[in-house]
């Protein structure tokens, strides 16, 4: 019994020692093993499929939705009424403010007021006023475009009545001047009528007895006929001369009346009209209070369509030009709107945009359809398509293209069995990490062909490569 126990003890000890040895070999590693495990793993390849599609090169930047036109209203005087607040809509013909008791209203037009317009004035600015009046339903009669005539005077008076004010007269003493001119015409007419009244015939002279001393010899004509004829001719010339002078005086009086009537009537002061390119507009800011003397902007108006304004760095500006398509993305609205680049400034902005930022080149993007009013002031993303392939093309990742020592540009195609071959290609438009390629031999590359774009650690190494 005691011998059997000894045998079992020896066997058990041997088993434990063997197990310990096995454990030691699993845990304890030689320096050579550690160095081998620390080395790079075997590498394989990463591939991507060749695609056939339209490839566009894009430039992405940020912009702010703003109104196409921003106008400050700052007429001289004291603010006496402010009927609007920031955010209010503004329509054509709307009263914007009252300054020193006089109205300031909005009209449609592209050219700002730069002079007072009075009856008789002519020019493109007059034509702009006429068009604005007609838009509001105030016809300008038979006045020619660009001529401030009677029809324009009547239309302007109607506008002021609609706003609730009386227009200022072009001439302070206009009515008195017109009355005096009318009186002059009446007097001239009376003077002309006096020249048309035949003079009374002269009284007959006493007869002289025939044969008396001094009696002229009979001639067969009535006595005194020759003398009477001379006097009548002289009198006729005088009457004609008086009539011509009266006619000239009447013409001058009538011209004076026409001039007085043309100059009389309502005027449009430059300080009372604000022209905006489009409606509806809105009040962007109110910077004054009733009772304050105007020393800066009273109101700031935003008008016209909403556009996107962005400021570009040098590298992006060189890639963009007017007419390029743009996608306007609003993260707040979760919508995309297509548009186009309208303006790319040739010079840097004079002040940092936004304030505190860098100087940049101003770019304006117009949407293909009007942006909602709620977009005003939003920061949006602009994706500009600066280049695109002419239709569908073979497209591969940029990392698939390499240049050989011989200067040829190639991609490496990988077959299903792992073999590889180099395909010579000509590159084209690139964008968003892809590039268009055209194989030197069209049969060498097709959609779906796998091309090598890199190596993947831990994968099996490729079996070989073709030429």
């Amino acid at each position: 019994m005691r011998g059997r126990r000894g045998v079992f003890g020896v066997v058990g000890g041997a088993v434990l020692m063997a197990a310990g040895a096995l454990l030691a070999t699993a845990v304890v590693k030689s320096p050579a093993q550690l160095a081998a495990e620390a080395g790079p793993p075997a590498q394989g390849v990463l591939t991507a499929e060749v695609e056939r599609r339209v490839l566009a090169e894009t430039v992405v930047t940020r912009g702010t939705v703003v109104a196409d036109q921003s106008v400050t209203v700052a007429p001289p005087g004291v603010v006496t009424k402010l009927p609007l607040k920031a955010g209010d809509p503004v329509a054509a013909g709307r009263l914007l403010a009252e300054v020193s008791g006089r109205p300031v209203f909005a009209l449609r037009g592209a050219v700002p007021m730069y002079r007072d317009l009075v009856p008789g004035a002519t020019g493109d600015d007059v034509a702009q006023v006429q068009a604005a009046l007609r838009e509001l339903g105030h016809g300008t009669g038979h006045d020619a475009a660009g001529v401030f005539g009677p029809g324009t005077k009547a239309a302007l008076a109607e506008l002021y009545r609609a706003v609730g004010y009386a227009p200022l007269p072009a001439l302070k003493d206009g009515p008195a001047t017109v009355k005096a001119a009318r009186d002059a015409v009446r007097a001239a007419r009376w003077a002309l009528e006096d020249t048309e009244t035949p003079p009374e015939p002269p009284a007959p002279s006493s007869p002289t007895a025939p044969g008396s001393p001094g009696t002229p010899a009979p001639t067969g004509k009535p006595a005194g006929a020759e003398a009477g004829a001379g006097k009548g001719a002289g009198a006729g010339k005088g009457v004609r001369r008086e009539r011509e002078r009266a006619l000239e005086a009447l013409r001058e009086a009538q011209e004076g009346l026409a001039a007085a009537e043309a100059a009389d009537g309502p005027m449009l002061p430059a300080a009372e009209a604000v022209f905006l390119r489009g409606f509806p507009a809105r009040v962007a800011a109110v910077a004054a209070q009733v009772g304050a003397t105007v020393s800066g902007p009273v109101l700031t108006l935003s008008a016209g369509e909403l556009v996107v304004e962005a400021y570009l760095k040098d590298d992006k500006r060189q890639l963009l030009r007017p007419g390029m398509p743009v996608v306007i993305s609003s993260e707040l609205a979760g919508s995309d709107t297509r548009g186009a680049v309208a303006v790319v400034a040739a010079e840097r902005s004079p002040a940092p945009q936004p304030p505190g930022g860098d100087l940049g080149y101003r770019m304006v993007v117009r949407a293909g359809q009007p942006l909602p009013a709620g977009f005003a002031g939003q920061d949006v993303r602009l994706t500009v398509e600066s280049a695109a392939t002419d239709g569908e093309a073979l497209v591969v990742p940029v990392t698939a293209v390499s240049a050989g020592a011989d200067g040829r540009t190639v991609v490496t195609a990988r077959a299903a069995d792992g073999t590889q071959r180099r395909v010579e290609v000509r590159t084209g438009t690139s964008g968003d990490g892809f590039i268009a390629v055209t194989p030197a031999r069209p049969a060498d590359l097709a959609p779906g062909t796998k091309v090598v774009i890199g190596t993947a650690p831990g994968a099996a190494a490729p079996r070989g490569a073709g030429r």
Side-chain angles (χ1 to χ4, degrees):
M1 222 27 215
R2 192 176 293 175
R4 240 182 238 178
R5 289 178 183 169
V7 172
F8 287 149
V10 171
V11 172
V15 171
L16 289 175
M17 290 178 65
L22 289 173
L23 181 63
T25 57
V27 175
V28 178
K29 298 182 180 181
S30 68
Q33 287 177 307
L34 292 175
E37 291 181 0
Q43 292 185 334
V45 293
L46 294 175
T47 62
E49 288 189 354
V50 177
E51 302 177 61
R52 182 181 292 278
R53 60 183 173 89
V54 175
L55 177 63
E57 181 179 359
T58 59
V59 173
V60 180
T61 187
R62 308 290 301 185
T64 303
V65 180
V66 298
D68 191 27
Q69 183 184 25
S70 181
V71 176
T72 57
V73 181
V78 176
V79 179
T80 49
K81 186 181 292 185
L82 277 174
L84 301 175
K85 63 182 183 299
D88 283 352
V90 175
R94 181 76 162 84
L95 178 69
L96 303 174
E98 181 188 274
V99 177
S100 298
R102 296 300 304 164
V104 181
F105 45 80
L107 296 175
R108 184 186 298 275
V111 181
M113 286 285 288
Y114 61 90
R115 60 169 177 162
D116 296 339
L117 295 181
V118 297
T122 60
D124 291 341
D125 51 349
V126 176
Q128 177 175 265
V129 171
Q130 291 172 322
L133 291 170
R134 287 193 296 269
E135 180 186 18
L136 295 173
H138 309 306
T140 55
H142 298 291
D143 288 357
V147 178
F148 197 144
T152 305
K153 288 193 288 185
L156 186 61
E158 290 176 5
L159 171 64
Y160 272 93
R161 281 194 295 270
V163 176
Y165 292 82
L168 292 176
L171 300 174
K172 292 183 179 179
D173 57 349
T177 301
V178 172
K179 182 179 182 305
R182 287 174 178 163
D183 290 344
V185 169
R186 184 169 57 250
R189 282 202 181 102
W190 289 347
L192 179 61
E193 290 173 359
D194 288 345
T195 64
E196 295 173 349
T197 303
E200 296 181 0
S205 57
S206 300
T208 303
S212 302
T215 301
T219 61
K221 293 183 180 180
E226 293 180 0
K231 291 181 180 179
K237 290 180 179 179
V239 170
R240 285 196 301 272
R241 185 164 50 250
E242 289 180 6
R243 178 173 174 78
E244 289 172 356
R245 290 174 178 173
L247 282 170
E248 184 178 355
L250 177 59
R251 282 194 296 268
E252 291 177 353
Q254 289 172 332
E255 290 173 358
L257 175 60
E261 289 178 337
D264 185 38
M267 66 177 292
L268 180 59
E272 295 187 6
V274 176
F275 282 94
L276 302 174
R277 286 197 290 267
F279 290 96
R282 69 185 185 94
V283 179
V286 178
Q289 296 179 343
V290 173
T293 300
V294 177
S295 59
V298 175
L299 301 169
T300 300
L301 304 177
S302 296
E305 64 177 320
L306 292 179
V307 299
V308 183
E309 189 177 67
Y311 287 85
L312 307 172
K313 299 291 184 64
D314 288 309
D315 56 340
K316 292 184 176 179
R317 175 192 168 273
Q318 294 173 2
L319 299 174
L320 305 180
R321 63 181 182 275
M324 288 181 171
V326 184
V327 175
I328 304 167
S329 302
S330 169
E331 289 89 350
L332 291 178
S335 63
D336 291 338
T337 305
R338 299 198 67 83
V341 176
V343 175
V344 177
E347 298 181 358
R348 290 175 180 268
S349 58
Q353 297 292 337
D358 297 329
L359 295 177
Y361 297 88
R362 180 173 179 262
M363 178 179 73
V364 176
V365 173
R366 296 187 187 278
Q369 57 186 8
L371 293 173
F375 275 38
Q378 275 194 32
D379 178 71
V380 295
R381 185 176 75 249
L382 301 175
T383 304
V384 186
E385 188 177 295
S386 59
T389 56
D390 186 12
E392 292 185 341
L394 294 178
V395 175
V396 299
V398 172
T399 52
V401 180
S402 61
D406 55 1
R408 294 188 303 167
T409 303
V410 299
V411 297
T412 301
R414 181 178 172 85
D417 62 1
T419 59
Q420 299 179 2
R421 57 189 174 86
R422 292 161 63 86
V423 178
E424 183 180 355
V425 296
R426 185 177 69 254
T427 59
T429 301
S430 64
D432 297 335
F434 289 85
I435 188 167
V437 295
T438 303
R441 294 187 300 179
D444 284 352
L445 209 59
T449 302
K450 293 184 180 296
V451 292
V452 176
I453 60 174
T455 57
R463 287 191 289 169
R467 61 176 180 83

